[in-house]
Amino acid sequence: MSKFIFITGGVLSGIGKGIATASIGRLLKNHGDKKIIVVKCDGYLNVDPGTMNPIEHGEVFVLNDGTEVDMDFGHYERFIGTEGEGDWNITSGKLFLRLIDKEREGKFLGKTIQIVPHAVNEVIDWWIELAEKHKPDYMLIEIGGTIGDNENFWFIEAAHRLSHNIGIDNIAYIHLTYLPMLYNTGELKTKPAKRDIALLRSMGINPDLVIARSHYVLPERIKHKFNELNLNPKQIISAIDMNNIYEIPLMFYENGMVDSLSDVLHEKIDVDLSKWEEVLNNMKNPTNKLTIAICGKYTDLHDSYASVVEALKHAGAHLRTEIEIKWVETTDIESGVLSIQDAIGNADGILVPGGFGSRGVEGKIKVIQHARENDVPYLGLCYGMQLAVIEFARNVCGLKDASSKEINPETENPVIDILPEQKDITTKGGTMRLGAYPANLDKGTKVYNLYNSDVVQERHRHRYEVNPEYHETLKKNGLIFSGLSPNKKLVEFIELKDHPYFVATQAHPELKSRFEKPAPLFFGFVRACLKRK
Ligand code: GLN
């Protein structure tokens, strides 16, 4: 029987429920090779975050199966290593679609369909189906939003009612709450958390553990204040603000999480964090420092590039290198507010991440030209590869007006064109080329040496590609296609020969980088930046 572990959050949003869930998963992971799956329930009515502006919702994370999911899946994968599946992200949009489809099929004939019990039962059925399909030892279920929000009510109600289906002994409820500090006295206040727990109980959920986020470790005296709610100090786990999210599993461990979890799950949990600690030690004791310029469009909202930043940090940790990020807004270069020199300064490496549309594009192309001509290590991801091809076509192959049809539909030289299978697609949700696809790598290339494999699978999210009509021209002028799709039509990886590191890919390798196992192209990039420095 799987154990269901729910993680809810209260008092306010943004206190780190996703990281807390990922950290609990990491603590449970090496315990006798237990199988873990992590489910996230999101209240919004969009089917998935794929069509939301990153400014509204942060990065869109893409799974192997091509589902666009909440960015918390990035934390789960980076911490735990389990690769998620599309139906592990249950949004209200997906839930109601499923319910209404069933109603149309006549599955509820004669009945009035209501949130309680029908939507709630649908959630329970979904969770039980996942448990039956994957047979995990632990199924972590994070419920998005804050207790008391209207839009996650059906998930909370389902978490409460699940105990009737599978018995309370197979369920653990963990609640993350917040203790504000009064700055003039330095005192931690418990009342908001107590009211929040009372609210949770009024919804039928009695937390087994409370993670109390606060500015400093809770003194026993403060923990005892929760006695009046019938919670003993061992049920209160202190979670302090941390600059480095990778310290959180260890911080939980040190603050008694594992003992308390053992009590709650009725089994002794032995934890193996040795590899994690080793990488963390390297990260905390760097011997080098690099500045990497990330040149993009949403650079004030760092969450829209979360996986890219984490992948750089992972590679840095494995090379004992601290990574400082310089955010470069390419619209400023395009408009002439910033010169390349001012924008890039003496950054040790340049990275152009994924992106859409034409705003800021000419600035990105200038930055790429600067990297190519001045031997600055360059890593291009998706749009960052397409724009590198445009720059190469313009400035090396002499195709002055080379562009992408996405940027200039009238261009005479569409070196980047829409994928043939994308031409007739008019709907937006989940219709890009999404998910993991294989690429065959060419022996002897930098990319091959980094992956050390003939075939690799990376995840994708795009509609455009390098136009096959220009393959010959690009190759003749020295652009190396280091990896192609199995039918050889689609360019997946490119690189340049006489350059310390000029590598780009149509894929998003950042999505598969793990704290304990960095993504090869990021590792190669950081190593090249170090070498040049
Ligand atoms: N806009 C480009 C495309 O659709 C690149 C997408 C991306 O960078 N994710 O192909």
Side-chain angles (χ1 to χ4, degrees):
M1 182 71 177
S2 304
K3 287 251 159 78
F4 289 70
I5 305 174
F6 287 96
I7 294 100
T8 50
V11 179
L12 44 99
S13 63
I15 54 174
K17 219 162 2 88
I19 307 268
T21 304
S23 300
I24 293 169
R26 184 60 192 78
L27 288 176
L28 292 170
K29 185 187 162 190
N30 291 355
H31 161 52
D33 273 335
K34 291 286 191 234
K35 181 166 179 188
I36 300 175
I37 76 169
V38 191
V39 174
K40 169 96 196 268
C41 300
D42 281 308
Y44 50 75
L45 289 172
N46 304 60
V47 170
D48 59 47
T51 51
M52 294 187 211
N53 189 325
I55 299 208
E56 236 169 75
H57 196 261
E59 174 185 69
V60 177
F61 198 77
V62 181
L63 302 175
N64 282 338
D65 66 12
T67 318
E68 299 173 290
V69 292
D70 185 79
M71 65 184 287
D72 276 337
F73 279 84
H75 302 311
Y76 309 154
E77 293 202 356
R78 287 189 281 273
F79 277 60
I80 310 168
T82 319
E83 302 200 309
E85 295 184 15
D87 55 1
W88 302 6
N89 193 184
I90 310 178
T91 63
S92 295
K94 285 184 195 168
L95 175 73
F96 291 125
L97 260 183
R98 200 164 112 145
L99 199 62
I100 291 166
D101 279 347
K102 281 193 180 167
E103 187 274 335
R104 292 289 83 183
E105 284 166 23
K107 295 253 166 69
F108 301 105
L109 233 42
K111 292 270 182 295
T112 310
I113 317 302
Q114 291 172 312
I115 299 280
V116 181
H118 300 93
V120 171
N121 285 343
E122 198 64 33
V123 176
I124 293 176
D125 289 350
W126 196 320
W127 290 337
I128 291 178
E129 278 167 28
L130 287 177
E132 283 172 352
K133 179 172 166 203
H134 298 284
K135 304 197 172 23
D137 296 285
Y138 304 118
M139 184 154 137
L140 269 61
I141 304 178
E142 179 187 341
I143 298 186
T146 307
I147 294 303
D149 290 349
N150 290 329
E151 64 267 21
N152 60 17
F153 161 72
W154 32 91
F155 295 121
I156 306 281
E157 180 66 12
H160 150 61
R161 287 188 186 214
L162 180 70
S163 59
H164 303 307
N165 297 56
I166 64 162
I168 197 75
D169 281 350
N170 295 308
I171 304 180
Y173 297 109
I174 302 180
H175 185 62
L176 175 64
T177 191
Y178 184 68
L179 271 62
M181 184 181 82
L182 283 184
Y183 267 87
N184 49 355
T185 57
E187 199 185 345
L188 293 176
K189 305 301 284 183
T190 54
K191 192 154 294 167
K194 284 182 193 155
R195 291 211 166 134
D196 168 54
I197 293 165
L199 178 62
L200 187 63
R201 283 188 175 156
S202 75
M203 300 170 92
I205 293 183
N206 190 17
D208 297 291
L209 285 186
V210 170
I211 305 178
R213 168 91 185 256
S214 61
H215 193 59
Y216 55 86
V217 176
L218 260 56
E220 284 301 302
R221 176 177 58 82
I222 302 274
K223 286 192 178 178
H224 280 289
K225 291 197 173 188
F226 288 89
N227 286 349
E228 65 188 70
L229 293 176
N230 256 335
L231 287 163
N232 66 52
K234 208 177 169 190
Q235 287 173 284
I236 314 290
I237 310 290
S238 212
I240 54 171
D241 303 338
M242 288 266 147
N243 288 330
N244 180 346
I245 55 171
Y246 299 106
E247 295 204 43
I248 293 173
L250 287 161
M251 183 261 288
F252 277 181
Y253 181 80
E254 277 157 20
N255 291 343
M257 172 72 91
V258 173
D259 262 2
S260 301
L261 260 183
S262 296
D263 286 356
V264 169
L265 299 173
H266 315 294
E267 60 177 310
K268 172 100 187 71
I269 294 168
D270 32 56
V271 170
D272 178 6
L273 285 170
S274 46
K275 168 89 186 179
W276 190 275
E277 267 183 288
E278 185 190 318
V279 182
L280 187 65
N281 273 335
N282 284 348
M283 186 181 232
K284 285 165 68 180
N285 300 295
T287 48
N288 298 290
K289 184 174 176 179
L290 291 174
T291 304
I292 306 290
I294 298 185
C295 308
K297 188 163 67 168
Y298 301 114
T299 50
D300 354 330
L301 195 88
H302 302 171
D303 257 6
S304 44
Y305 300 114
S307 294
V308 174
V309 173
E310 297 311 318
L312 284 171
K313 286 194 203 156
H314 301 164
H318 286 255
L319 291 158
R320 289 206 117 173
T321 300
E322 181 184 342
I323 308 283
E324 190 189 342
I325 292 180
K326 186 175 166 77
W327 295 97
V328 177
E329 185 66 39
T330 52
T331 45
D332 292 340
I333 300 176
E334 191 168 273
S335 64
V337 171
L338 272 181
S339 69
I340 288 281
Q341 213 40 58
D342 290 341
I344 304 296
N346 37 21
D348 302 297
I350 292 177
L351 188 152
V352 174
F356 295 86
S358 53
R359 200 165 62 85
V361 149
E362 291 304 324
K364 291 184 195 172
I365 293 175
K366 279 201 184 127
V367 165
I368 297 169
Q369 181 178 9
H370 173 85
R372 184 178 56 76
E373 291 177 346
N374 296 286
D375 284 347
V376 184
Y378 174 71
L379 180 61
L381 307 171
C382 201
Y383 217 15
M385 181 189 93
Q386 296 175 358
L387 299 175
V389 169
I390 295 173
E391 190 280 321
F392 189 85
R394 285 185 190 172
N395 301 321
V396 179
C397 309
L399 305 170
K400 287 291 166 226
D401 69 338
S403 192
S404 163
K405 285 243 178 109
E406 180 178 2
I407 306 163
N408 174 11
E410 311 303 329
T411 175
E412 293 275 310
N413 282 300
V415 291
I416 306 296
D417 200 356
I418 190 136
L419 284 154
E421 65 270 27
Q422 286 283 327
K423 275 198 180 109
D424 299 321
I425 294 177
T426 50
T427 54
K428 295 285 183 222
T431 58
M432 284 189 247
R433 178 171 181 260
L434 289 165
Y437 284 96
N440 296 331
L441 302 184
D442 213 3
K443 277 210 172 68
T445 58
K446 282 192 185 93
V447 172
Y448 181 96
N449 291 338
L450 284 166
Y451 280 102
N452 197 18
S453 170
D454 296 312
V455 188
V456 293
Q457 293 261 2
E458 291 288 9
R459 300 181 192 169
H460 295 72
R461 184 170 190 253
H462 64 123
R463 291 189 201 280
Y464 293 81
E465 64 165 343
V466 181
N467 187 341
E469 286 176 27
Y470 289 86
H471 285 189
E472 273 323 302
T473 313
L474 293 164
K475 277 201 272 190
K476 227 174 43 216
N477 283 279
L479 190 67
I480 296 169
F481 295 167
S482 358
L484 296 173
S485 59
N487 68 5
K488 298 192 167 44
K489 291 215 173 104
L490 211 134
V491 179
E492 291 279 14
F493 296 91
I494 61 163
E495 63 189 74
L496 288 178
K497 197 154 180 248
D498 299 315
H499 190 286
Y501 193 89
F502 192 100
V503 172
T505 170
Q506 185 58 75
H508 289 278
E510 69 274 20
L511 301 178
K512 280 174 65 170
S513 182
R514 311 275 181 261
F515 183 62
E516 290 161 297
K517 191 168 182 288
L521 294 192
F522 283 79
F523 185 84
F525 174 59
V526 172
R527 193 176 56 187
C529 297
L530 272 176
K531 204 162 158 201
R532 180 167 178 271
K533 196 174 185 182

